[in-house]
Amino acid sequence: MTEADVILVIVIGTALAFDFTNGFHDTANVVATSISTRAMSPRIAVTYAAILNFAGAFISLEVAATVAKDVVVGDVITPTIVFAGLIGAIAWNLATWFFGLPSSSSHALIGGVVGSALAAVGSEAVLSDGVIGKVLVPALIAPMVAFIVGGIAIVVCYRVVGRQRPGPVTRGFRLGQVVSGGMLALAHGTNDAQKTMGIIALALVANGSLDSSADPPFWVIISAATAIALGTYSGGWRIIKTMGTRIIKMDAAQGFSAQGAGSAVILASSHFGYPLSTTHVISGAVMGAGAGKRVSAVRWGVAGNMIVAWILTFPMAAAIGAITYGVTQIFGDGAVGPVLIAGAGIVLTVMAFIRRARSPVPA
Amino acid sequence: MSLLAQIVDWSALGQTVIAAFLGGVGIAFAFSLGILGAARLTDSSRELGLIGTIGYGTLTAAGMLATLAAIVFGIVVMTSG
């Protein structure tokens, strides 16, 4: 095994670790509304979401193509650059998980890779048209669309069923949430698992193991699907708490509207290859479903903290990616730097999990 | 502004917004109609009479079928992309 192969194996392992944290971190997006309205028990909701996340990963490859081909120039990217970008994304994901903030795994991933590419090669390595046109502009528009669709959807629901007795209506919307939650999990698997597929494909192209115009191989698709499903099953209970109860107190109709709006936005975006943040979309939809009932029902302070985390995600992941690349270069171009950083990353991650396991989820 | 117009595929983005709007609001409307029909059937089945029962039964079935059709259509569009 050559040194380049060692780096490639570390990159693939790190990409799958990112995919796991993506599922772990974003479980909240998928299940929080179903759990908070008691449409499903937590364990059943998480298992259901994991299965549909796995299935969703096989639906499309449009987003994977965008991540692999439209963000950075494949010809100048090395596996070490991809590795540094992944470390930037994982570090930001774990930091926001540690504080219970639902930030975007997608923007962390793309920010990390852009940051490490800038540090390694310079601005000519970044396809700014792709980053702006396929990532940043959709990133701004998608949560607003989800907010508006979620808001209108809940108004429609209340108008149609408003005069009925709450009991059957609540039971009906809880049943609907089983379906809308499933759609959301499928949409999440479709959009988010593809980002890891795209990153692994980028590393394979950089290593000369895959043609730059080829789709990700099947083993990449199935391993990314498995990693995100396992991460989802593990569950990120802190963020579930924030998403499910701390933004708005949700009823079943609001949960259904938010999940339906979120699924529609994510599935439509995946179809056109936009790697948007499922976190931003479902948060926007939850806020819209809250504001559609009553504007003051939304806890705007919590929403404000989340928006700050969103704004910081891209630059912070980019900065960590750039610094990580710089650190790897201290040890030369070989595998020593990535091996040492991957080892340090594992130790820090275990420490963070132990520390968090000792403290209760905040109310 | 003209730079953004060149970089961003506004047509695809516009189609995404329209599809998301129709899907999100359409499913909410169809499913709510289904719930309305089911709620009326369970709460006042004795007062409705035959025509009312058939009417609300049809509304329930139509609402649920429209919801199901929208979901299947969404998945078909996704897999065909």
Side-chain angles (χ1 to χ4, degrees), chain A residues 59-60 62 129 132-133 137 141 145 149 152-153 156-157 160-161 164-165 168-169 172-173 176 179 183 186 190 256 264-265 267-272 274, chain B residues 4 7-10 12-13 15-17 19-21 23-25 27-29 31-33 35-36 39-40 42-43 67 71 74-75 77-81:
Chain A
I59 286 182
S60 163
E62 292 294 323
D129 288 8
I132 295 169
V137 171
I141 292 175
V145 173
V149 173
I152 294 174
V156 167
C157 289
V160 174
V161 300
Q164 305 309 307
R165 204 161 54 84
V169 169
F173 278 118
V179 179
M183 282 298 286
L186 197 73
T190 301
F256 175 81
V265 172
L267 283 174
S269 303
S270 302
H271 180 65
F272 288 102
Y274 296 125
Chain B
L4 261 189
I7 292 172
V8 180
D9 184 350
W10 292 107
L13 209 53
Q15 287 181 56
T16 306
V17 171
F21 184 84
V25 177
I27 285 180
F29 180 65
F31 194 74
S32 299
L33 284 179
I35 290 180
L36 172 69
R40 291 300 297 259
T42 51
D43 277 357
T67 307
I71 290 167
I75 292 173
V77 169
M78 279 300 305
T79 48
S80 64

Side-chain angles (χ1 to χ4, degrees), chain A:
Chain A
M1 189 182 254
T2 65
E3 209 158 11
D5 292 335
V6 172
I7 297 174
L8 183 64
V9 169
I10 293 171
V11 170
I12 292 169
T14 311
L16 293 175
F18 167 79
D19 205 19
F20 180 88
T21 66
N22 189 346
F24 180 84
H25 196 276
D26 290 7
T27 304
N29 306 338
V30 177
V31 302
T33 47
S34 299
I35 293 172
S36 68
T37 62
R38 297 183 184 167
M40 282 188 262
S41 74
R43 189 45 71 191
I44 287 175
V46 166
T47 307
Y48 178 60
I51 292 167
L52 285 165
N53 260 287
F54 182 84
F58 295 88
I59 286 182
S60 163
L61 289 172
E62 292 294 323
V63 173
T66 298
V67 172
K69 296 165 191 168
D70 292 342
V71 174
V72 286
V73 180
D75 295 344
V76 298
I77 296 300
T78 65
T80 305
I81 294 174
V82 179
F83 168 78
L86 282 164
I87 293 294
I90 293 173
W92 183 250
N93 253 5
L94 288 174
T96 50
W97 161 78
F98 193 84
F99 294 106
L101 288 172
S103 70
S104 166
S105 302
S106 318
H107 296 168
L109 179 64
I110 293 168
V113 172
V114 166
S116 61
L118 279 172
V121 184
S123 59
E124 64 269 27
V126 179
L127 295 167
S128 53
D129 288 8
V131 173
I132 295 169
K134 285 221 156 187
V135 180
L136 295 181
V137 171
L140 285 174
I141 292 175
M144 288 191 272
V145 173
F147 180 89
I148 293 166
V149 173
I152 294 174
I154 191 61
V155 170
V156 167
C157 289
Y158 285 150
R159 287 267 168 175
V160 174
V161 300
R163 291 183 180 176
Q164 305 309 307
R165 204 161 54 84
V169 169
T170 300
R171 279 196 297 278
F173 278 118
R174 279 183 184 159
L175 190 68
Q177 275 199 275
V178 175
V179 179
S180 60
M183 282 298 286
L184 191 58
L186 197 73
H188 179 256
T190 301
N191 201 285
D192 279 31
Q194 285 191 63
K195 289 158 196 159
T196 302
M197 294 174 206
I199 284 294
I200 295 177
L202 189 61
L204 291 171
V205 170
N207 196 51
S209 312
L210 184 71
D211 188 79
S212 59
S213 59
D215 282 336
F218 184 70
W219 67 265
V220 172
I221 297 173
I222 198 156
S223 46
T226 305
I228 200 166
L230 288 174
T232 303
Y233 184 73
S234 304
W237 300 107
R238 281 175 185 279
I239 302 173
I240 288 173
K241 185 91 182 173
T242 301
M243 193 74 95
T245 60
R246 294 180 69 201
I247 301 175
I248 60 169
K249 280 280 180 197
M250 218 176 311
D251 62 31
Q254 286 173 304
F256 175 81
S257 302
Q259 287 176 327
S263 312
V265 172
I266 297 166
L267 283 174
S269 303
S270 302
H271 180 65
F272 288 102
Y274 296 125
L276 49 76
S277 164
T278 49
T279 309
H280 292 192
V281 169
I282 190 63
S283 304
V286 166
M287 287 179 209
K293 185 178 184 183
R294 188 163 37 87
V295 175
S296 61
V298 180
R299 290 174 185 157
W300 293 106
V302 176
N305 288 342
M306 285 165 52
I307 290 167
V308 170
W310 294 354
I311 293 168
L312 288 176
T313 295
F314 196 96
M316 286 302 292
I320 300 168
I323 291 166
T324 305
Y325 183 80
V327 174
T328 62
Q329 293 311 291
I330 294 171
F331 303 96
D333 284 332
V336 179
V339 167
L340 289 176
I341 290 173
I346 291 168
V347 170
L348 285 172
T349 304
V350 170
M351 284 169 62
F353 271 81
I354 291 171
R355 180 148 185 203
R356 267 303 169 218
R358 285 179 184 160
S359 60
V361 178

